[in-house]
Amino acid sequence: MLETRVREVVGSVFGVAPDELPERLDPDTVPGWTSLRQIQLMMALESAFGIEIDPNLLPALASGPAIVQYLEETLAVPDGTAR
């Protein structure tokens, strides 16, 4: 499931086991979620899902649900690249 994979990536970036992450993933609930970590998270997501994320979208991708929605839409694109 996509949400599980996203939690695994978030956990790896923040050094936390996925099952120890809070239910809601965002800068207010995940300790250490800074702008630098946001960039590291986007790079890790690019690697994990084989996509390229437009840097202009970084502010919009600052929560678990936003990331999952973006990935659902992006991975549905035939060439696998971000819009």
Side-chain angles (χ1 to χ4, degrees):
M1 180 152 47
L2 192 57
E3 290 180 30
T4 301
R5 288 185 64 201
V6 167
R7 290 184 74 78
E8 290 171 354
V9 174
V10 170
S12 72
V13 169
F14 290 94
V16 178
D19 60 339
E20 293 179 10
L21 288 167
E23 183 70 26
R24 193 179 93 217
L25 299 175
D26 63 36
D28 294 330
T29 60
V30 178
W33 189 317
T34 63
S35 57
L36 177 58
R37 284 287 171 100
Q38 174 81 13
I39 293 168
Q40 293 171 333
L41 175 57
M42 294 305 114
M43 292 171 56
L45 290 166
E46 287 179 332
S47 178
F49 292 96
I51 60 170
E52 185 176 322
I53 299 172
D54 181 341
N56 295 318
L57 296 176
L58 286 163
L61 299 176
S63 73
I67 292 168
V68 169
Q69 180 179 355
Y70 173 79
L71 290 172
E72 287 173 344
E73 294 169 1
T74 300
L75 296 174
V77 175
D79 65 4
T81 59
R83 294 179 222 169

